Amino acid sequence: MASSDVKLIGAWASPFVMRPRIALNLKSVPYEFLQETFGSKSELLLKSNPVHKKIPVLLHADKPVCESNIIVEYIDDTWSSSGPSILPSDPYDRAMARFWAAYIDEKWFVALRSFLKAGGEEEKKAVIAQLEEGNAFLEKAFIDCSKGKPFFNGDNIGYLDIALGCFLAWLRVTELAVSHKILDEAKTPSLSKWAENFCNDPAVKPVMPETAKLAEFAKKIFS
Amino acid sequence: MEKEEEVRLLGFWASPFTCRVMMALKLKGVPYEYLEEDLMNKSPLLLELNPVHKKVPVLVHNGKPILESNLILEYIDQTWTNNPILPQDPYDKAMARFLAKFVDEQVAPAGFRSLVKAEKGVEVAIEEARELIMFLEKEVTGKDFFGGKTIGFLDMVVGSMIPFCGVRAWENMGIDMIPEEKFPALNKWIKKLNEVEIVRECVPPREEHVKHLKRNEERVKSAFKRQI
């Protein structure tokens, strides 16, 4: 498969873009990374994703696939004979992985993002409470899904690891900005250990933004 | 051949999300026990099975709960492999998943907004909803069903949400959201859907449903007004 066959429209700072990048790394699929300029959208992006006009978009032989988690599943389906399985094979485990991935996007990440924008003390307290509840759910989900192994997906990183792990750099930037430990080893020991393992995975390291660089970027876009 | 399986479905009779799961179970010929939930008074069983969202539908298969209607459809498809629901081709599968998410997260809320907007805003809300529904029109053009020759995942998702829920609510408000001259393919598809036995068996009965939506509309409108 020629590398020009696979293109990914995205941006280095986006956690959603990180997801398909990790998946492509896991499957050893070479791709051309087309970076969008922050603040503007290219013609190609608008043409490839007319519904949402958002990144990431995977272009496989010029056919667009949109929505980060859907792209990850597509990568797993298409390059199924290459590399480890990204989705669990058991239908129940698969349903659970997808459920938690949806929860992370709809509730957990929304809370994390609102932390940076939170105004007064009352607002901050409310967000912290939401995140703590979310973390408690995820700690339990990790114990249930991992069954004693290092990742949600078992021995290797998979769909749910990617769905949550992509936010770790932003999590660290937020913790620094609000001076509050969001992922606390004391409260969520398993999740904290998992986070460390995830960041060290060879498929993740090349695409995980450095905290300092991301913090600088965050200052720029939130100012 | 599968051994005796215990399948239960917790649902709400008027919910499009419950409706689509019933369609899938019927298509696969899976016998199940149906447990009706009173959403104003949720059962301890529901709260135990879905502590995170406390919502229906919940499929319980041999004691294990599966949550979120579209995830339940995928689970059903993988577990009972006769009469496939999702497309086989990875690209078509990705497209079906994308559009299902689009229907639930964009189309449905936009359609809902046209129900609650005051007279001044309603025309704009209708146009916005129609713009989104046009993506579905394009997808089903030239096909009998979204799934091709027979109904599939997207027919169940769009079908439960639009013709047998949205349209009924819009009609209550005197809104013709998807007129035939603007949406010929969707209207043709709806006619075909009405001929499918599984669909007819699973959609909420029209008269009761319309009454329910009318009652709901008053409650929802006043709740919405209070938020402004």
Short mmCIF file of all heavy atoms in Angstrom, two decimals, chain B residues 94-153:
data_model
loop_
_atom_site.label_atom_id
_atom_site.label_comp_id
_atom_site.label_asym_id
_atom_site.label_seq_id
_atom_site.Cartn_x
_atom_site.Cartn_y
_atom_site.Cartn_z
N ALA B 94 -18.15 2.34 8.20
CA ALA B 94 -17.76 3.62 8.80
C ALA B 94 -18.78 4.70 8.46
O ALA B 94 -19.15 5.51 9.31
CB ALA B 94 -16.37 4.04 8.30
N MET B 95 -19.25 4.69 7.23
CA MET B 95 -20.25 5.66 6.78
C MET B 95 -21.55 5.49 7.54
O MET B 95 -22.17 6.47 7.97
CB MET B 95 -20.50 5.44 5.28
CG MET B 95 -20.96 6.67 4.56
SD MET B 95 -19.91 8.06 4.95
CE MET B 95 -20.71 9.37 4.13
N ALA B 96 -21.97 4.25 7.74
CA ALA B 96 -23.21 3.97 8.48
C ALA B 96 -23.09 4.46 9.91
O ALA B 96 -24.01 5.08 10.45
CB ALA B 96 -23.52 2.47 8.45
N ARG B 97 -21.97 4.20 10.54
CA ARG B 97 -21.75 4.64 11.93
C ARG B 97 -21.74 6.15 12.01
O ARG B 97 -22.31 6.74 12.93
CB ARG B 97 -20.41 4.10 12.46
CG ARG B 97 -20.44 2.62 12.76
CD ARG B 97 -19.05 2.10 13.07
NE ARG B 97 -19.12 0.69 13.45
CZ ARG B 97 -18.13 -0.16 13.26
NH1 ARG B 97 -17.00 0.23 12.72
NH2 ARG B 97 -18.27 -1.42 13.64
N PHE B 98 -21.09 6.78 11.05
CA PHE B 98 -21.00 8.24 11.01
C PHE B 98 -22.39 8.86 10.91
O PHE B 98 -22.74 9.77 11.65
CB PHE B 98 -20.13 8.66 9.82
CG PHE B 98 -20.10 10.14 9.60
CD1 PHE B 98 -19.26 10.94 10.36
CD2 PHE B 98 -20.91 10.74 8.65
CE1 PHE B 98 -19.22 12.31 10.17
CE2 PHE B 98 -20.88 12.12 8.46
CZ PHE B 98 -20.04 12.90 9.22
N LEU B 99 -23.20 8.33 9.97
CA LEU B 99 -24.53 8.90 9.77
C LEU B 99 -25.45 8.62 10.95
O LEU B 99 -26.29 9.45 11.29
CB LEU B 99 -25.13 8.38 8.46
CG LEU B 99 -24.50 9.00 7.21
CD1 LEU B 99 -24.97 8.29 5.96
CD2 LEU B 99 -24.80 10.48 7.11
N ALA B 100 -25.29 7.47 11.60
CA ALA B 100 -26.11 7.16 12.78
C ALA B 100 -25.84 8.18 13.87
O ALA B 100 -26.75 8.71 14.50
CB ALA B 100 -25.81 5.75 13.27
N LYS B 101 -24.56 8.48 14.08
CA LYS B 101 -24.16 9.46 15.10
C LYS B 101 -24.72 10.84 14.71
O LYS B 101 -25.25 11.56 15.55
CB LYS B 101 -22.64 9.49 15.14
CG LYS B 101 -22.04 10.23 16.30
CD LYS B 101 -20.55 9.91 16.47
CE LYS B 101 -20.06 10.43 17.81
NZ LYS B 101 -19.28 11.62 17.75
N PHE B 102 -24.66 11.14 13.45
CA PHE B 102 -25.16 12.40 12.91
C PHE B 102 -26.66 12.55 13.16
O PHE B 102 -27.13 13.60 13.58
CB PHE B 102 -24.83 12.45 11.42
CG PHE B 102 -25.44 13.58 10.67
CD1 PHE B 102 -25.03 14.89 10.89
CD2 PHE B 102 -26.44 13.36 9.72
CE1 PHE B 102 -25.59 15.94 10.19
CE2 PHE B 102 -27.00 14.41 9.01
CZ PHE B 102 -26.58 15.70 9.24
N VAL B 103 -27.40 11.48 12.92
CA VAL B 103 -28.85 11.51 13.13
C VAL B 103 -29.18 11.80 14.60
O VAL B 103 -29.97 12.68 14.92
CB VAL B 103 -29.51 10.18 12.69
CG1 VAL B 103 -30.93 10.06 13.21
CG2 VAL B 103 -29.49 10.07 11.19
N ASP B 104 -28.55 11.04 15.49
CA ASP B 104 -28.87 11.18 16.91
C ASP B 104 -28.35 12.47 17.51
O ASP B 104 -29.00 13.07 18.37
CB ASP B 104 -28.29 9.99 17.70
CG ASP B 104 -29.06 8.70 17.44
OD1 ASP B 104 -30.15 8.75 16.83
OD2 ASP B 104 -28.56 7.63 17.82
N GLU B 105 -27.16 12.90 17.08
CA GLU B 105 -26.54 14.06 17.75
C GLU B 105 -26.79 15.39 17.07
O GLU B 105 -26.66 16.43 17.69
CB GLU B 105 -25.04 13.83 17.88
CG GLU B 105 -24.74 12.71 18.85
CD GLU B 105 -23.26 12.40 19.01
OE1 GLU B 105 -22.43 13.21 18.52
OE2 GLU B 105 -22.94 11.37 19.61
N GLN B 106 -27.12 15.37 15.77
CA GLN B 106 -27.34 16.65 15.07
C GLN B 106 -28.78 16.80 14.58
O GLN B 106 -29.44 17.80 14.84
CB GLN B 106 -26.42 16.77 13.84
CG GLN B 106 -24.98 16.38 14.07
CD GLN B 106 -24.18 17.48 14.71
OE1 GLN B 106 -23.49 17.26 15.69
NE2 GLN B 106 -24.28 18.66 14.19
N VAL B 107 -29.25 15.81 13.82
CA VAL B 107 -30.57 15.92 13.21
C VAL B 107 -31.68 15.98 14.26
O VAL B 107 -32.54 16.86 14.23
CB VAL B 107 -30.84 14.76 12.21
CG1 VAL B 107 -32.21 14.91 11.59
CG2 VAL B 107 -29.77 14.73 11.13
N ALA B 108 -31.63 15.03 15.20
CA ALA B 108 -32.70 14.97 16.21
C ALA B 108 -32.78 16.27 17.02
O ALA B 108 -33.87 16.85 17.15
CB ALA B 108 -32.52 13.75 17.11
N PRO B 109 -31.68 16.78 17.58
CA PRO B 109 -31.76 18.05 18.31
C PRO B 109 -32.24 19.22 17.44
O PRO B 109 -33.00 20.06 17.90
CB PRO B 109 -30.33 18.29 18.79
CG PRO B 109 -29.68 16.97 18.79
CD PRO B 109 -30.34 16.19 17.71
N ALA B 110 -31.79 19.25 16.17
CA ALA B 110 -32.23 20.33 15.28
C ALA B 110 -33.73 20.24 15.03
O ALA B 110 -34.44 21.24 15.04
CB ALA B 110 -31.47 20.28 13.96
N GLY B 111 -34.20 19.02 14.84
CA GLY B 111 -35.64 18.79 14.65
C GLY B 111 -36.42 19.19 15.88
O GLY B 111 -37.48 19.80 15.80
N PHE B 112 -35.84 18.91 17.02
CA PHE B 112 -36.47 19.24 18.29
C PHE B 112 -36.57 20.75 18.46
O PHE B 112 -37.58 21.27 18.94
CB PHE B 112 -35.64 18.61 19.40
CG PHE B 112 -36.14 18.92 20.78
CD1 PHE B 112 -37.25 18.28 21.27
CD2 PHE B 112 -35.51 19.88 21.56
CE1 PHE B 112 -37.72 18.58 22.54
CE2 PHE B 112 -35.98 20.18 22.82
CZ PHE B 112 -37.09 19.52 23.32
N ARG B 113 -35.52 21.45 18.06
CA ARG B 113 -35.52 22.91 18.20
C ARG B 113 -36.66 23.54 17.42
O ARG B 113 -37.25 24.53 17.85
CB ARG B 113 -34.19 23.52 17.72
CG ARG B 113 -33.07 23.44 18.75
CD ARG B 113 -31.91 24.35 18.38
NE ARG B 113 -31.17 23.88 17.22
CZ ARG B 113 -30.21 22.96 17.27
NH1 ARG B 113 -29.87 22.41 18.41
NH2 ARG B 113 -29.59 22.59 16.17
N SER B 114 -37.01 22.94 16.29
CA SER B 114 -38.11 23.50 15.50
C SER B 114 -39.45 23.32 16.20
O SER B 114 -40.41 23.99 15.89
CB SER B 114 -38.14 22.87 14.10
OG SER B 114 -38.47 21.51 14.22
N LEU B 115 -39.48 22.40 17.19
CA LEU B 115 -40.73 22.19 17.93
C LEU B 115 -40.90 23.20 19.05
O LEU B 115 -42.00 23.51 19.47
CB LEU B 115 -40.75 20.77 18.54
CG LEU B 115 -40.78 19.60 17.58
CD1 LEU B 115 -40.61 18.30 18.35
CD2 LEU B 115 -42.07 19.57 16.79
N VAL B 116 -39.76 23.68 19.56
CA VAL B 116 -39.87 24.54 20.75
C VAL B 116 -39.65 26.03 20.48
O VAL B 116 -39.89 26.84 21.33
CB VAL B 116 -38.90 24.07 21.87
CG1 VAL B 116 -39.27 22.69 22.37
CG2 VAL B 116 -37.47 24.12 21.41
N LYS B 117 -39.16 26.33 19.27
CA LYS B 117 -38.92 27.74 18.98
C LYS B 117 -40.25 28.47 18.83
O LYS B 117 -41.17 27.95 18.23
CB LYS B 117 -38.15 27.88 17.66
CG LYS B 117 -36.68 27.56 17.76
CD LYS B 117 -35.92 28.71 18.35
CE LYS B 117 -34.44 28.39 18.37
NZ LYS B 117 -33.69 29.37 19.14
N ALA B 118 -40.30 29.68 19.34
CA ALA B 118 -41.48 30.52 19.18
C ALA B 118 -41.66 30.86 17.70
O ALA B 118 -40.74 30.69 16.92
CB ALA B 118 -41.31 31.79 20.00
N GLU B 119 -42.82 31.37 17.33
CA GLU B 119 -43.13 31.65 15.92
C GLU B 119 -41.99 32.32 15.17
O GLU B 119 -41.71 31.99 14.04
CB GLU B 119 -44.38 32.51 15.79
CG GLU B 119 -45.68 31.72 15.82
CD GLU B 119 -46.26 31.72 17.21
OE1 GLU B 119 -46.39 32.82 17.77
OE2 GLU B 119 -46.54 30.64 17.72
N LYS B 120 -41.34 33.28 15.81
CA LYS B 120 -40.31 34.05 15.10
C LYS B 120 -39.14 33.17 14.68
O LYS B 120 -38.58 33.35 13.62
CB LYS B 120 -39.79 35.20 15.99
CG LYS B 120 -40.47 36.53 15.73
CD LYS B 120 -39.78 37.68 16.40
CE LYS B 120 -40.17 37.74 17.87
NZ LYS B 120 -39.47 38.84 18.59
N GLY B 121 -38.77 32.24 15.53
CA GLY B 121 -37.59 31.45 15.23
C GLY B 121 -37.86 30.17 14.46
O GLY B 121 -36.94 29.53 13.96
N VAL B 122 -39.14 29.81 14.32
CA VAL B 122 -39.45 28.47 13.81
C VAL B 122 -39.03 28.25 12.36
O VAL B 122 -38.52 27.19 12.03
CB VAL B 122 -40.94 28.11 14.06
CG1 VAL B 122 -41.86 28.76 13.05
CG2 VAL B 122 -41.14 26.62 14.09
N GLU B 123 -39.19 29.26 11.50
CA GLU B 123 -38.81 29.07 10.10
C GLU B 123 -37.32 28.80 9.94
O GLU B 123 -36.92 27.94 9.17
CB GLU B 123 -39.20 30.32 9.27
CG GLU B 123 -40.68 30.44 8.95
CD GLU B 123 -41.28 29.20 8.27
OE1 GLU B 123 -40.58 28.58 7.42
OE2 GLU B 123 -42.41 28.83 8.61
N VAL B 124 -36.53 29.53 10.71
CA VAL B 124 -35.07 29.35 10.67
C VAL B 124 -34.72 27.95 11.17
O VAL B 124 -33.90 27.25 10.56
CB VAL B 124 -34.38 30.42 11.55
CG1 VAL B 124 -32.89 30.15 11.66
CG2 VAL B 124 -34.62 31.81 10.97
N ALA B 125 -35.38 27.55 12.27
CA ALA B 125 -35.10 26.24 12.85
C ALA B 125 -35.46 25.13 11.85
O ALA B 125 -34.72 24.15 11.72
CB ALA B 125 -35.87 26.06 14.15
N ILE B 126 -36.58 25.30 11.16
CA ILE B 126 -37.00 24.30 10.17
C ILE B 126 -35.97 24.21 9.04
O ILE B 126 -35.57 23.11 8.63
CB ILE B 126 -38.41 24.62 9.59
CG1 ILE B 126 -39.48 24.45 10.67
CG2 ILE B 126 -38.72 23.73 8.39
CD1 ILE B 126 -40.86 24.91 10.25
N GLU B 127 -35.53 25.36 8.55
CA GLU B 127 -34.54 25.35 7.47
C GLU B 127 -33.24 24.69 7.89
O GLU B 127 -32.64 23.94 7.12
CB GLU B 127 -34.28 26.78 6.96
CG GLU B 127 -35.23 27.23 5.86
CD GLU B 127 -35.59 26.13 4.86
OE1 GLU B 127 -34.68 25.57 4.20
OE2 GLU B 127 -36.80 25.79 4.77
N GLU B 128 -32.82 24.97 9.13
CA GLU B 128 -31.58 24.37 9.64
C GLU B 128 -31.71 22.85 9.71
O GLU B 128 -30.80 22.11 9.31
CB GLU B 128 -31.26 24.92 11.03
CG GLU B 128 -30.64 26.29 10.98
CD GLU B 128 -30.42 26.92 12.35
OE1 GLU B 128 -30.80 26.30 13.37
OE2 GLU B 128 -29.88 28.04 12.38
N ALA B 129 -32.87 22.39 10.20
CA ALA B 129 -33.09 20.95 10.30
C ALA B 129 -33.11 20.33 8.90
O ALA B 129 -32.51 19.28 8.67
CB ALA B 129 -34.39 20.66 11.04
N ARG B 130 -33.77 20.99 7.96
CA ARG B 130 -33.86 20.46 6.58
C ARG B 130 -32.50 20.34 5.93
O ARG B 130 -32.23 19.40 5.19
CB ARG B 130 -34.75 21.37 5.73
CG ARG B 130 -36.22 21.14 5.97
CD ARG B 130 -37.05 21.87 4.96
NE ARG B 130 -38.46 21.69 5.20
CZ ARG B 130 -39.37 22.64 5.02
NH1 ARG B 130 -39.01 23.84 4.59
NH2 ARG B 130 -40.65 22.38 5.24
N GLU B 131 -31.63 21.32 6.21
CA GLU B 131 -30.27 21.29 5.64
C GLU B 131 -29.54 20.03 6.06
O GLU B 131 -28.82 19.42 5.29
CB GLU B 131 -29.50 22.50 6.17
CG GLU B 131 -29.02 23.47 5.12
CD GLU B 131 -28.31 24.65 5.75
OE1 GLU B 131 -27.14 24.47 6.15
OE2 GLU B 131 -28.93 25.73 5.84
N LEU B 132 -29.74 19.65 7.34
CA LEU B 132 -29.08 18.46 7.86
C LEU B 132 -29.72 17.20 7.28
O LEU B 132 -29.03 16.26 6.89
CB LEU B 132 -29.16 18.43 9.39
CG LEU B 132 -28.47 19.59 10.11
CD1 LEU B 132 -28.69 19.48 11.61
CD2 LEU B 132 -26.98 19.63 9.83
N ILE B 133 -31.06 17.21 7.20
CA ILE B 133 -31.76 16.03 6.69
C ILE B 133 -31.40 15.78 5.23
O ILE B 133 -31.44 14.64 4.74
CB ILE B 133 -33.29 16.18 6.89
CG1 ILE B 133 -33.60 16.25 8.39
CG2 ILE B 133 -34.07 15.04 6.25
CD1 ILE B 133 -35.03 16.64 8.73
N MET B 134 -30.99 16.82 4.52
CA MET B 134 -30.58 16.69 3.11
C MET B 134 -29.42 15.70 2.96
O MET B 134 -29.31 15.01 1.94
CB MET B 134 -30.21 18.07 2.56
CG MET B 134 -30.19 18.17 1.05
SD MET B 134 -31.62 17.47 0.19
CE MET B 134 -32.82 18.78 0.38
N PHE B 135 -28.55 15.61 3.98
CA PHE B 135 -27.45 14.64 3.92
C PHE B 135 -27.99 13.22 3.87
O PHE B 135 -27.45 12.35 3.21
CB PHE B 135 -26.50 14.80 5.11
CG PHE B 135 -25.60 16.00 5.01
CD1 PHE B 135 -25.80 17.10 5.83
CD2 PHE B 135 -24.55 16.04 4.10
CE1 PHE B 135 -24.98 18.23 5.74
CE2 PHE B 135 -23.72 17.16 4.00
CZ PHE B 135 -23.94 18.26 4.82
N LEU B 136 -29.11 13.01 4.57
CA LEU B 136 -29.73 11.68 4.58
C LEU B 136 -30.41 11.41 3.23
O LEU B 136 -30.37 10.29 2.71
CB LEU B 136 -30.74 11.56 5.72
CG LEU B 136 -30.14 11.74 7.12
CD1 LEU B 136 -31.24 11.83 8.16
CD2 LEU B 136 -29.20 10.60 7.45
N GLU B 137 -31.03 12.45 2.67
CA GLU B 137 -31.67 12.35 1.36
C GLU B 137 -30.64 11.87 0.33
O GLU B 137 -30.90 10.95 -0.44
CB GLU B 137 -32.25 13.71 0.97
CG GLU B 137 -32.76 13.83 -0.45
CD GLU B 137 -34.09 13.14 -0.73
OE1 GLU B 137 -34.78 12.74 0.25
OE2 GLU B 137 -34.45 12.99 -1.91
N LYS B 138 -29.45 12.48 0.38
CA LYS B 138 -28.40 12.13 -0.58
C LYS B 138 -27.99 10.67 -0.40
O LYS B 138 -27.78 9.95 -1.37
CB LYS B 138 -27.15 13.02 -0.37
CG LYS B 138 -27.30 14.43 -0.84
CD LYS B 138 -25.92 15.09 -1.11
CE LYS B 138 -26.10 16.54 -1.51
NZ LYS B 138 -25.98 17.47 -0.36
N GLU B 139 -27.89 10.25 0.85
CA GLU B 139 -27.41 8.90 1.15
C GLU B 139 -28.36 7.82 0.64
O GLU B 139 -27.93 6.75 0.22
CB GLU B 139 -27.18 8.77 2.66
CG GLU B 139 -26.56 7.46 3.12
CD GLU B 139 -25.17 7.20 2.57
OE1 GLU B 139 -24.46 8.16 2.20
OE2 GLU B 139 -24.80 6.01 2.50
N VAL B 140 -29.66 8.08 0.70
CA VAL B 140 -30.62 7.04 0.32
C VAL B 140 -31.07 7.14 -1.15
O VAL B 140 -31.76 6.24 -1.65
CB VAL B 140 -31.83 7.06 1.29
CG1 VAL B 140 -32.86 8.13 0.90
CG2 VAL B 140 -32.47 5.68 1.40
N THR B 141 -30.62 8.19 -1.85
CA THR B 141 -30.99 8.35 -3.26
C THR B 141 -30.48 7.19 -4.08
O THR B 141 -29.32 6.79 -3.95
CB THR B 141 -30.44 9.68 -3.81
OG1 THR B 141 -31.01 10.75 -3.06
CG2 THR B 141 -30.80 9.88 -5.28
N GLY B 142 -31.35 6.62 -4.92
CA GLY B 142 -30.95 5.51 -5.79
C GLY B 142 -30.96 4.16 -5.10
O GLY B 142 -30.57 3.15 -5.68
N LYS B 143 -31.38 4.13 -3.84
CA LYS B 143 -31.41 2.85 -3.12
C LYS B 143 -32.83 2.59 -2.62
O LYS B 143 -33.60 3.52 -2.38
CB LYS B 143 -30.47 2.90 -1.91
CG LYS B 143 -29.00 3.08 -2.27
CD LYS B 143 -28.11 2.67 -1.11
CE LYS B 143 -27.67 3.86 -0.31
NZ LYS B 143 -26.57 3.54 0.62
N ASP B 144 -33.14 1.27 -2.42
CA ASP B 144 -34.43 0.95 -1.81
C ASP B 144 -34.40 1.36 -0.34
O ASP B 144 -35.32 1.96 0.19
CB ASP B 144 -34.71 -0.56 -1.89
CG ASP B 144 -35.12 -0.97 -3.30
OD1 ASP B 144 -35.44 -0.09 -4.11
OD2 ASP B 144 -35.14 -2.18 -3.57
N PHE B 145 -33.32 0.93 0.31
CA PHE B 145 -33.11 1.23 1.73
C PHE B 145 -31.70 1.73 1.91
O PHE B 145 -30.85 1.53 1.04
CB PHE B 145 -33.32 -0.03 2.58
CG PHE B 145 -34.70 -0.61 2.48
CD1 PHE B 145 -34.94 -1.75 1.71
CD2 PHE B 145 -35.77 -0.03 3.15
CE1 PHE B 145 -36.23 -2.28 1.60
CE2 PHE B 145 -37.05 -0.54 3.04
CZ PHE B 145 -37.29 -1.68 2.26
N PHE B 146 -31.40 2.35 3.08
CA PHE B 146 -30.03 2.76 3.39
C PHE B 146 -29.12 1.53 3.32
O PHE B 146 -27.98 1.59 2.90
CB PHE B 146 -29.94 3.38 4.78
CG PHE B 146 -30.50 4.77 4.86
CD1 PHE B 146 -31.80 4.99 5.26
CD2 PHE B 146 -29.71 5.87 4.55
CE1 PHE B 146 -32.33 6.28 5.34
CE2 PHE B 146 -30.22 7.17 4.63
CZ PHE B 146 -31.54 7.37 5.01
N GLY B 147 -29.68 0.39 3.72
CA GLY B 147 -28.90 -0.84 3.74
C GLY B 147 -28.82 -1.54 2.40
O GLY B 147 -28.22 -2.60 2.28
N GLY B 148 -29.44 -0.97 1.37
CA GLY B 148 -29.43 -1.59 0.04
C GLY B 148 -30.78 -2.18 -0.30
O GLY B 148 -31.80 -1.50 -0.29
N LYS B 149 -30.78 -3.50 -0.55
CA LYS B 149 -32.02 -4.17 -0.95
C LYS B 149 -32.92 -4.48 0.25
O LYS B 149 -34.13 -4.65 0.11
CB LYS B 149 -31.71 -5.48 -1.69
CG LYS B 149 -31.13 -5.26 -3.07
CD LYS B 149 -32.23 -4.91 -4.06
CE LYS B 149 -31.65 -4.40 -5.37
NZ LYS B 149 -32.60 -3.58 -6.12
N THR B 150 -32.29 -4.62 1.41
CA THR B 150 -33.06 -4.91 2.63
C THR B 150 -32.67 -3.91 3.72
O THR B 150 -31.65 -3.25 3.62
CB THR B 150 -32.77 -6.34 3.15
OG1 THR B 150 -31.36 -6.47 3.30
CG2 THR B 150 -33.28 -7.40 2.20
N ILE B 151 -33.50 -3.85 4.76
CA ILE B 151 -33.22 -2.87 5.81
C ILE B 151 -31.99 -3.28 6.61
O ILE B 151 -31.69 -4.46 6.77
CB ILE B 151 -34.42 -2.62 6.77
CG1 ILE B 151 -34.78 -3.86 7.59
CG2 ILE B 151 -35.61 -2.09 6.00
CD1 ILE B 151 -35.68 -3.51 8.78
N GLY B 152 -31.28 -2.25 7.07
CA GLY B 152 -30.08 -2.48 7.88
C GLY B 152 -29.99 -1.47 8.99
O GLY B 152 -30.96 -0.80 9.33
N PHE B 153 -28.81 -1.35 9.55
CA PHE B 153 -28.50 -0.48 10.69
C PHE B 153 -29.05 0.93 10.53
O PHE B 153 -29.79 1.42 11.39
CB PHE B 153 -26.97 -0.46 10.82
CG PHE B 153 -26.41 0.38 11.93
CD1 PHE B 153 -26.51 -0.02 13.25
CD2 PHE B 153 -25.73 1.56 11.64
CE1 PHE B 153 -25.95 0.75 14.27
CE2 PHE B 153 -25.17 2.33 12.66
CZ PHE B 153 -25.28 1.92 13.97
#
